[in-house]
Amino acid sequence: MTRTVAVVGAGAAGLVVARELLREGLDVAVFEKSARTGGTWAYNPRADADPLGSDPASPGAVHGSLYASLRTNLPRELMGFSDFPMTGRVFAGDARAFPGHREVLAFLDAFAEESGVLERVRLRAEVLRVAPLGGHGERWAVAWRGEDGEVAEEVFDAVVVCNGHWTVPQVAKIRGIDNWKGNQMHSHNYRVPEPFRDQNVVVVGMGASGMDIALEISHVAKEVHIASRYSEDRLGKVELHNNIWMHREVDCIQDDGKIRFSEGSAVAADIILYCTGYYYHFPFLDLDGLTVDDNRVGPLYKHIFPPKYAPNLSFVGLPMKTIIFQSVELESKWVAAVLSGRATLPSEEDMMAAVREHYRHMEEAGRPKRHTHVILPNWEEHMNWLADQVGEPRLEAWRLEMLEKAVRCALSLDERYRDRWEQEDNSGTSALKHSLGSKL
């Protein structure tokens, strides 16, 4: 009898998981609460009524966090799937090396259609509850609400969670924030720069999107002050821009309402824009033995399988700061191989031992708990390990070099790096030229 699998979410991870499950001969149902596939890549010009997005369960809460001008921070060569590349094809008229979000969405639409996954997707089907039947999840009850408002429950042999993690804003706690009289917003609700015209803005956080947004705002704002704990080597005025300053993290809001940074400077500002990331959030999971603590989802073996419920519960797409589309494809191949019986997992005890070892290594390296699923700087080791599990080729040297260069460029504060990319020699090595041939 064919095993049945519920996939929660029809973004990039959910689509590629479904494709791999179908390839292994499993019966798949994909639940997507919105009206289309694409997940976070489906742009929504509407923002939450609450600029901090503090209640993701509120009526009318917005799922997407894209801003209008968003472009990928990885080039096309690193954005596709192994047998469905973005390179060499144009999906929505945007042939740039770093395409905009509409091109990526069109790519995912084409992938869903051509892979046969689209017909397995139930749109406007919101998963309300996922619960194990039996102590270790031998089978799973999935309750979901359809477009008509009716709630149904079905039983599946396995569940793969792919609901993304770019929806529930994480807002930094600032000492003295009660003294703050200005506005606050999380980048989840940022769409266009115009509301920041002639404003003094403090941007908290220096991730890739935070840098992009700060640079875009600088064209209309009076001043932009970027606060980050990782800015020690470039404090002060930014040479490339006439109205951007770098600071250490925010220390507090002073009694006079100014924002003081930990290096000692203070500025008056009109708005604080938090580009401080997102929480992992699984409101539909109803089970014991899995927690989200300081953004550590655990325990999870290799970020995917909770030992207690493996292999019939898994998570795809949790790792961050890696070659994300290739990563979710490898994760998906492994999950599908395990569920079909073509691959096996270690015992529950051995998986738990591996999880504890991972946590121990993090502590020894001084890495905070919230970085549990941050793969950098071990992306090569992690992706090669996944590839080995399913007999896929290991990460080519040119991909690693291209990824490392893209990360450096994204943090350079040069807002034209994406367009300069195509005019420069990005080969790095002759191996890169040989691997890509005429694709570059």
mmCIF file of all heavy atoms in Angstrom, residues 288-307:
data_model
loop_
_atom_site.group_PDB
_atom_site.id
_atom_site.type_symbol
_atom_site.label_atom_id
_atom_site.label_comp_id
_atom_site.label_asym_id
_atom_site.label_seq_id
_atom_site.Cartn_x
_atom_site.Cartn_y
_atom_site.Cartn_z
ATOM 1 N N ASP A 288 4.699 16.489 22.049
ATOM 2 C CA ASP A 288 5.692 16.655 23.110
ATOM 3 C C ASP A 288 7.081 16.356 22.547
ATOM 4 O O ASP A 288 7.225 15.653 21.547
ATOM 5 C CB ASP A 288 5.411 15.696 24.273
ATOM 6 C CG ASP A 288 4.069 15.980 24.927
ATOM 7 O OD1 ASP A 288 3.744 17.176 25.085
ATOM 8 O OD2 ASP A 288 3.371 15.014 25.273
ATOM 9 N N GLY A 289 8.087 16.864 23.244
ATOM 10 C CA GLY A 289 9.436 16.466 22.893
ATOM 11 C C GLY A 289 10.074 17.274 21.801
ATOM 12 O O GLY A 289 11.132 16.898 21.276
ATOM 13 N N LEU A 290 9.470 18.401 21.409
ATOM 14 C CA LEU A 290 10.095 19.296 20.433
ATOM 15 C C LEU A 290 9.828 20.722 20.893
ATOM 16 O O LEU A 290 8.693 21.086 21.185
ATOM 17 C CB LEU A 290 9.517 19.086 19.032
ATOM 18 C CG LEU A 290 10.255 19.867 17.937
ATOM 19 C CD1 LEU A 290 11.506 19.124 17.495
ATOM 20 C CD2 LEU A 290 9.353 20.108 16.728
ATOM 21 N N THR A 291 10.869 21.522 20.963
ATOM 22 C CA THR A 291 10.720 22.887 21.449
ATOM 23 C C THR A 291 11.395 23.870 20.504
ATOM 24 O O THR A 291 12.237 23.490 19.680
ATOM 25 C CB THR A 291 11.355 23.051 22.845
ATOM 26 O OG1 THR A 291 12.767 22.765 22.753
ATOM 27 C CG2 THR A 291 10.714 22.123 23.855
ATOM 28 N N VAL A 292 10.999 25.133 20.619
ATOM 29 C CA VAL A 292 11.719 26.230 19.977
ATOM 30 C C VAL A 292 12.180 27.137 21.099
ATOM 31 O O VAL A 292 11.383 27.831 21.721
ATOM 32 C CB VAL A 292 10.824 27.001 18.984
ATOM 33 C CG1 VAL A 292 11.642 28.095 18.299
ATOM 34 C CG2 VAL A 292 10.224 26.057 17.941
ATOM 35 N N ASP A 293 13.478 27.108 21.372
ATOM 36 C CA ASP A 293 14.053 27.837 22.490
ATOM 37 C C ASP A 293 15.148 28.753 21.964
ATOM 38 O O ASP A 293 16.166 28.268 21.454
ATOM 39 C CB ASP A 293 14.613 26.849 23.518
ATOM 40 C CG ASP A 293 15.275 27.554 24.702
ATOM 41 O OD1 ASP A 293 14.969 28.735 24.935
ATOM 42 O OD2 ASP A 293 16.082 26.909 25.384
ATOM 43 N N ASP A 294 14.933 30.069 22.083
ATOM 44 C CA ASP A 294 15.899 31.042 21.555
ATOM 45 C C ASP A 294 16.242 30.723 20.104
ATOM 46 O O ASP A 294 17.398 30.763 19.681
ATOM 47 C CB ASP A 294 17.162 31.057 22.422
ATOM 48 C CG ASP A 294 18.024 32.290 22.163
ATOM 49 O OD1 ASP A 294 17.539 33.246 21.523
ATOM 50 O OD2 ASP A 294 19.197 32.278 22.602
ATOM 51 N N ASN A 295 15.198 30.397 19.342
ATOM 52 C CA ASN A 295 15.270 30.068 17.915
ATOM 53 C C ASN A 295 16.055 28.796 17.615
ATOM 54 O O ASN A 295 16.497 28.580 16.486
ATOM 55 C CB ASN A 295 15.805 31.240 17.082
ATOM 56 C CG ASN A 295 14.740 31.729 16.116
ATOM 57 O OD1 ASN A 295 13.553 31.443 16.282
ATOM 58 N ND2 ASN A 295 15.145 32.461 15.098
ATOM 59 N N ARG A 296 16.234 27.959 18.610
ATOM 60 C CA ARG A 296 16.753 26.601 18.375
ATOM 61 C C ARG A 296 15.567 25.649 18.319
ATOM 62 O O ARG A 296 14.842 25.493 19.307
ATOM 63 C CB ARG A 296 17.709 26.181 19.484
ATOM 64 C CG ARG A 296 18.058 24.690 19.456
ATOM 65 C CD ARG A 296 18.967 24.296 20.617
ATOM 66 N NE ARG A 296 20.336 24.741 20.366
ATOM 67 C CZ ARG A 296 21.324 24.627 21.241
ATOM 68 N NH1 ARG A 296 21.085 24.103 22.445
ATOM 69 N NH2 ARG A 296 22.548 25.056 20.938
ATOM 70 N N VAL A 297 15.338 25.043 17.171
ATOM 71 C CA VAL A 297 14.300 24.024 17.043
ATOM 72 C C VAL A 297 14.963 22.698 17.403
ATOM 73 O O VAL A 297 15.933 22.282 16.748
ATOM 74 C CB VAL A 297 13.732 23.966 15.620
ATOM 75 C CG1 VAL A 297 12.565 22.989 15.553
ATOM 76 C CG2 VAL A 297 13.288 25.356 15.151
ATOM 77 N N GLY A 298 14.449 22.061 18.452
ATOM 78 C CA GLY A 298 15.179 20.881 18.843
ATOM 79 C C GLY A 298 14.417 19.959 19.774
ATOM 80 O O GLY A 298 13.381 20.334 20.331
ATOM 81 N N PRO A 299 14.948 18.759 19.909
ATOM 82 C CA PRO A 299 16.149 18.304 19.215
ATOM 83 C C PRO A 299 15.848 17.883 17.781
ATOM 84 O O PRO A 299 14.811 17.263 17.513
ATOM 85 C CB PRO A 299 16.580 17.088 20.050
ATOM 86 C CG PRO A 299 15.297 16.563 20.638
ATOM 87 C CD PRO A 299 14.433 17.762 20.870
ATOM 88 N N LEU A 300 16.756 18.209 16.866
ATOM 89 C CA LEU A 300 16.641 17.801 15.472
ATOM 90 C C LEU A 300 17.962 17.202 15.010
ATOM 91 O O LEU A 300 19.019 17.828 15.165
ATOM 92 C CB LEU A 300 16.301 18.991 14.566
ATOM 93 C CG LEU A 300 14.905 19.590 14.637
ATOM 94 C CD1 LEU A 300 14.784 20.743 13.646
ATOM 95 C CD2 LEU A 300 13.840 18.538 14.352
ATOM 96 N N TYR A 301 17.898 16.040 14.429
ATOM 97 C CA TYR A 301 19.082 15.403 13.857
ATOM 98 C C TYR A 301 19.367 16.022 12.491
ATOM 99 O O TYR A 301 18.522 15.978 11.595
ATOM 100 C CB TYR A 301 18.841 13.905 13.724
ATOM 101 C CG TYR A 301 19.975 13.123 13.098
ATOM 102 C CD1 TYR A 301 21.242 13.100 13.682
ATOM 103 C CD2 TYR A 301 19.767 12.402 11.932
ATOM 104 C CE1 TYR A 301 22.276 12.382 13.110
ATOM 105 C CE2 TYR A 301 20.803 11.665 11.360
ATOM 106 C CZ TYR A 301 22.060 11.666 11.956
ATOM 107 O OH TYR A 301 23.091 10.954 11.375
ATOM 108 N N LYS A 302 20.530 16.646 12.378
ATOM 109 C CA LYS A 302 20.947 17.317 11.144
ATOM 110 C C LYS A 302 19.928 18.358 10.684
ATOM 111 O O LYS A 302 19.719 18.553 9.494
ATOM 112 C CB LYS A 302 21.203 16.299 10.029
ATOM 113 C CG LYS A 302 22.277 15.280 10.363
ATOM 114 C CD LYS A 302 23.629 15.916 10.601
ATOM 115 C CE LYS A 302 24.702 14.874 10.887
ATOM 116 N NZ LYS A 302 26.027 15.474 11.107
ATOM 117 N N HIS A 303 19.261 19.024 11.621
ATOM 118 C CA HIS A 303 18.293 20.099 11.365
ATOM 119 C C HIS A 303 16.997 19.588 10.726
ATOM 120 O O HIS A 303 16.160 20.393 10.329
ATOM 121 C CB HIS A 303 18.885 21.183 10.451
ATOM 122 C CG HIS A 303 20.214 21.695 10.900
ATOM 123 N ND1 HIS A 303 20.351 22.632 11.896
ATOM 124 C CD2 HIS A 303 21.473 21.385 10.490
ATOM 125 C CE1 HIS A 303 21.644 22.888 12.084
ATOM 126 N NE2 HIS A 303 22.333 22.144 11.259
ATOM 127 N N ILE A 304 16.809 18.283 10.658
ATOM 128 C CA ILE A 304 15.684 17.742 9.881
ATOM 129 C C ILE A 304 14.778 16.820 10.679
ATOM 130 O O ILE A 304 13.557 17.016 10.734
ATOM 131 C CB ILE A 304 16.210 17.001 8.618
ATOM 132 C CG1 ILE A 304 16.948 17.985 7.706
ATOM 133 C CG2 ILE A 304 15.074 16.317 7.877
ATOM 134 C CD1 ILE A 304 17.635 17.342 6.522
ATOM 135 N N PHE A 305 15.347 15.804 11.316
ATOM 136 C CA PHE A 305 14.528 14.765 11.955
ATOM 137 C C PHE A 305 14.536 14.895 13.476
ATOM 138 O O PHE A 305 15.600 14.815 14.097
ATOM 139 C CB PHE A 305 15.055 13.376 11.591
ATOM 140 C CG PHE A 305 14.849 12.979 10.161
ATOM 141 C CD1 PHE A 305 15.905 13.011 9.262
ATOM 142 C CD2 PHE A 305 13.604 12.561 9.719
ATOM 143 C CE1 PHE A 305 15.728 12.639 7.939
ATOM 144 C CE2 PHE A 305 13.409 12.178 8.393
ATOM 145 C CZ PHE A 305 14.478 12.219 7.497
ATOM 146 N N PRO A 306 13.361 15.061 14.130
ATOM 147 C CA PRO A 306 13.308 14.949 15.598
ATOM 148 C C PRO A 306 13.437 13.469 15.968
ATOM 149 O O PRO A 306 12.606 12.660 15.543
ATOM 150 C CB PRO A 306 11.926 15.506 15.954
ATOM 151 C CG PRO A 306 11.123 15.407 14.701
ATOM 152 C CD PRO A 306 12.052 15.380 13.539
ATOM 153 N N PRO A 307 14.471 13.097 16.728
ATOM 154 C CA PRO A 307 14.719 11.669 16.976
ATOM 155 C C PRO A 307 13.505 10.896 17.488
ATOM 156 O O PRO A 307 13.275 9.749 17.071
ATOM 157 C CB PRO A 307 15.844 11.699 18.008
ATOM 158 C CG PRO A 307 16.602 12.955 17.694
ATOM 159 C CD PRO A 307 15.544 13.943 17.301
#
